[in-house]
Structures are given as C-alpha cells and as structure tokens.
Amino acid sequence: MTYNFSTKCIYGNNDATSCDKSGAISFPIYQTATFAHPGVGNSTGYDYSRLQNPTREQLEKVVCSLENGYDALAFSSGMAALTALMELFSPGDHIISGNDLYGGSIRLFNNINNKNLLKFDFIDTSKEDIEKYITPSTKAIYVETPTNPMMNVTDISKVAAIAKKYNILFIVDNTFLSPYFQNPIDLGADIVVHSGTKFLGGHNDTLAGFIVVNNEELSEKLRFILKTVGSGLAPFDSWLILRGIKTLAIRMERQQQNAIAIAQWLKANSKVKNVYYPGLPDHPGYEISKNQSRGFGSMLTFEVENSEIALHILSSVKLIQFAESLGGVETLITYPMTQTHADVPKDVREKNGITDNILRLSIGIEDVNDLINDLSQAL
C-alpha cells in the first residue's frame, strides 16, 4: 500500500505493525555492534552494524519512500555520504558541477577528489550550456538546486534529459528543499544526496547524510562502498533522524510560511539591497521552481549595503542565532564568507556573488513577528 507524504514520514511505506513483540511505538534503538547467528549458514539477516543495523535500515526505508527511490543509504554525515559517492568514479573521470555549492562540497572536490585525479568543471547549471562541457571522460553532472547560498535554481528535468542523452549520471543535492518540497528522482535524477543533519533531522542535534538511488546497480555499488569504508550512520543517530522526520511535513510548512513573510519584509527594507528567495515572483528561478517543486523552502539569502551593516546584524540579533548549519526548528543566520564558504577561494566566492555583504538565513518555526522584530532592531 502506498501512503501520502505525511504518513510516510512516520512509517515509510510500511504499515504500523510493531517491529517486535513488545508493541513499541517508537522504533527501537538496536545499540549493538554485532549479531549472533543461530548456526552455520543460518542468519537473522544482520551480521555486523557496519554492514546494517535494524534502526538504520528502518530509517533508510523511510527516506527511500520519501524520495521515491529504489534504495537509500544512511551515512554518518552529509560529507561522509558525498565522500562515499565519489568512490563511484575512477582517476581521469570528469564531473560537471554547479559552481555555487556548499563550501564543504567544493573543498572535497578541489582537494580530496582532485588529489585522486578526478576532474571537475564548475559552471552555473542554472544558466550555462552544459552540453559544451561534456567530454568522452564525463561521468556525471552534479547540482544543488536551489544553490547554497545564492539560491540559483536549475531545471532538473532539462539537465536529466542531457544526462540521459550522453549516458552519464545525474546527481542532485536536495538538502535545501527536502523531499517534502522536491523529488529529483521523479524528475529524472539518478542519485539524490542529503545532509540529513538539516531538514530531515530538523533539530540541530545530530549529524547524518543520505544517498538515494533509482536502480539496483547503483544500490549494490554504494552498499559495497559503505560497508568497505565504514561510514554508516550509528543506531542512536539513526533513531534521532527517524524521530525528526516524523514532523518534517508540518515543520516545512511552518518554516516556508515564515520565510515568505520575512523575504517580503526584507525586500521592503531600505537597508537591504537584494533578497534571494525562489518564492519571490521576481526571482529568476521562480517559474522553474513552481514547475518542479511543491514549495520554495525556508532558506533565503540577503545582501546589505556594506560589510559594516552585515557585521552589525550578526552581533545584534537576539532571538536569531549566529551559527552555521540550517534546517532546524531554530532560525539561524550565517555569514558564508567566514563560515560555510571560508575555504572557497576569494575570487570564486565573489564571482558567485558571495561578498562580505551577504547573509544567509535558515528560517525556523518561531512566531514570525518575533523574528521580524529581531531583524528590525538588528538593522
């Protein structure tokens, strides 16, 4: 039986039958490293928690159902997931990547993956002609949409058609919108990645990462990588993310509602130069977002007149917290140039629009008037 999204957040595609004879409503934490076998050649289905654990397995089933994938794999962080994903590729392989990505992704590509002789072209996938960058060694296209932090929107179906034309993988980081608002696999992507730390967990209390794939071959390759490199998510952290996902739908609705109101308020403020939010009708990606997503999310970036104003805001907010990360119930303000994108070369940052006047907001579930009042006094 197939359930609607809010129900899948609690059960996945399973029914409500308890996983054991106790009748526990909350899925148990199987806090064990290893599992006993009834006899030689006879297994319970679990051998060692690095390979699989019932709590992690339940979480993976739920996430897979939310993204409409074939399989989902849970990792110890978003970066652990991305690091494992890059093991699909071999020295000399070429990847076309978006140029406005989370700084940790760029750091991985430019340092670890380049050292291992993978080659990257970083382009604006929302505007540029992707096909002119494809070579015989191109193996994948990697995009975030919306991007971090400049909120550029890439047409997923359009890029998927290009990837299929050239028989290359299409990978989408869906962290910003979560599966509640966007399902890239339904639009033609082969692989979806998430920092589960963010909206899926939703409470800023644990780290997690996910890879969701659309076919058995990718599942088998990545499960071999996961068990070999040993970066699977631990049982207790799996349980925390499972608990967080139960409220994903209602959190996303409230956070988006707040974000739209704050984006409109910032846009009307004389000290704010630009507001980057796909839910504003004058955003370049507004129509694409309406076509490929069910909402615009709760991430927004804004630009003030100068760095003095930006620094003043960061030191003056009282309710909003100056911190890295995003997607939790608390509203956070981030300074990309010194936090999320500090390791991105200055010329690359500035080319992408990330200056010392740029601030990023992850909108939480607080009363929106309290958030606006806090921004008002800080400005």
Side-chain angles (χ1 to χ4, degrees):
M1 183 173 180
T2 301
Y3 296 109
N4 292 318
F5 192 93
S6 295
T7 304
K8 290 198 291 185
C9 284
I10 302 172
Y11 306 111
N13 284 325
N14 307 310
D15 59 27
T17 304
S18 177
C19 61
D20 61 20
K21 295 180 181 179
S22 71
I25 298 299
S26 175
F27 198 94
I29 304 167
Y30 287 84
Q31 193 63 49
T32 182
T34 191
F35 301 84
H37 298 292
V40 177
N42 191 1
S43 171
T44 63
Y46 303 97
D47 300 305
Y48 192 61
S49 280
R50 174 163 49 78
L51 282 68
Q52 189 54 290
N53 176 284
T55 315
R56 188 170 82 219
E57 183 178 55
Q58 174 68 6
L59 171 62
E60 290 172 341
K61 288 178 178 178
V62 170
V63 172
C64 185
S65 73
L66 298 181
E67 281 289 12
N68 301 323
Y70 175 85
D71 190 16
L73 298 83
F75 293 82
S76 57
S77 69
M79 291 311 303
L82 188 52
T83 299
L85 179 62
M86 289 298 111
E87 293 299 324
L88 287 175
F89 306 106
S90 302
D93 285 351
H94 172 243
I95 298 169
I96 298 168
S97 171
N99 60 355
D100 183 38
L101 304 177
Y102 166 56
S105 302
I106 295 173
R107 181 172 59 238
L108 176 72
F109 295 164
N110 281 340
N111 293 278
I112 307 302
N113 298 140
N114 265 347
K115 173 180 67 68
N116 294 333
L117 304 181
L118 298 185
K119 301 175 183 177
F120 293 84
D121 271 316
F122 295 96
I123 69 171
D124 185 347
T125 55
S126 70
K127 296 178 182 176
E128 294 190 61
D129 179 6
I130 294 174
E131 288 192 74
K132 75 177 185 180
Y133 292 93
I134 294 176
T135 72
S137 61
T138 303
K139 302 300 180 183
I141 302 169
Y142 180 94
V143 306
E144 285 181 11
T145 183
T147 61
N148 183 0
M150 299 309 296
M151 307 303 296
N152 299 319
V153 176
T154 294
D155 188 325
I156 295 174
S157 295
K158 181 179 178 181
V159 178
I162 294 171
K164 284 178 173 54
K165 177 180 176 181
Y166 291 92
N167 195 30
I168 56 181
L169 289 174
F170 180 30
I171 305 161
V172 178
D173 184 329
N174 196 32
T175 298
F176 266 24
L177 287 185
S178 88
Y180 182 71
F181 283 132
Q182 183 169 267
N183 293 121
I185 286 176
D186 290 349
L187 299 167
D190 300 294
I191 299 171
V192 172
V193 295
H194 283 277
S195 173
T197 311
K198 311 306 192 294
F199 290 103
L200 292 174
H203 292 80
N204 288 317
D205 57 8
T206 193
L207 303 178
F210 294 94
I211 299 174
V212 187
V213 299
N214 70 347
N215 64 64
E216 183 179 8
E217 182 183 2
L218 286 171
S219 170
E220 290 179 353
K221 287 180 178 179
L222 284 162
R223 288 212 169 270
F224 178 82
I225 292 168
L226 184 150
K227 78 173 183 178
T228 303
V229 302
S231 54
L233 191 61
F236 182 66
D237 298 292
S238 296
W239 181 82
L240 283 172
I241 301 294
L242 266 174
R243 184 177 66 165
I245 288 175
K246 289 182 179 182
T247 59
L248 176 64
I250 56 177
R251 283 189 284 107
M252 295 302 293
E253 284 292 341
R254 175 59 177 267
Q255 287 171 281
Q256 176 178 248
Q257 178 185 341
N258 285 353
I260 291 171
I262 290 170
Q264 292 170 340
W265 182 87
L266 286 168
K267 195 170 177 62
N269 191 289
S270 61
K271 293 182 181 178
V272 176
K273 188 176 178 182
N274 289 299
V275 179
Y276 305 94
Y277 180 65
L280 294 173
D282 61 354
H283 187 283
Y286 178 74
E287 291 299 330
I288 295 173
S289 294
K290 286 206 306 182
N291 288 333
Q292 70 185 15
S293 308
R294 295 179 293 275
F296 304 104
S298 62
M299 297 300 302
L300 67 87
T301 295
F302 67 101
E303 181 182 10
V304 292
E305 290 292 339
N306 54 60
S307 60
E308 288 76 16
I309 296 175
L311 295 174
H312 178 76
I313 292 169
L314 294 171
S315 63
S316 300
V317 286
K318 300 183 186 304
L319 175 65
I320 298 168
Q321 299 177 75
F322 174 28
E324 292 193 46
S325 201
L326 59 101
V329 294
E330 303 89 358
T331 297
L332 304 180
I333 190 165
T334 299
Y335 200 35
M337 68 169 292
T338 64
Q339 292 181 300
T340 56
H341 291 69
D343 290 333
V344 178
K346 185 174 184 288
D347 60 327
V348 175
R349 278 202 314 262
E350 292 184 348
K351 182 181 177 182
N352 292 342
I354 306 170
T355 68
D356 54 7
N357 303 346
I358 288 289
L359 297 165
R360 191 192 74 184
L361 279 169
S362 171
I363 309 299
I365 65 170
E366 303 94 338
D367 186 284
V368 71
N369 293 312
D370 291 333
L371 294 173
I372 289 174
N373 289 339
D374 193 27
L375 287 169
S376 180
Q377 66 82 24
L379 278 161

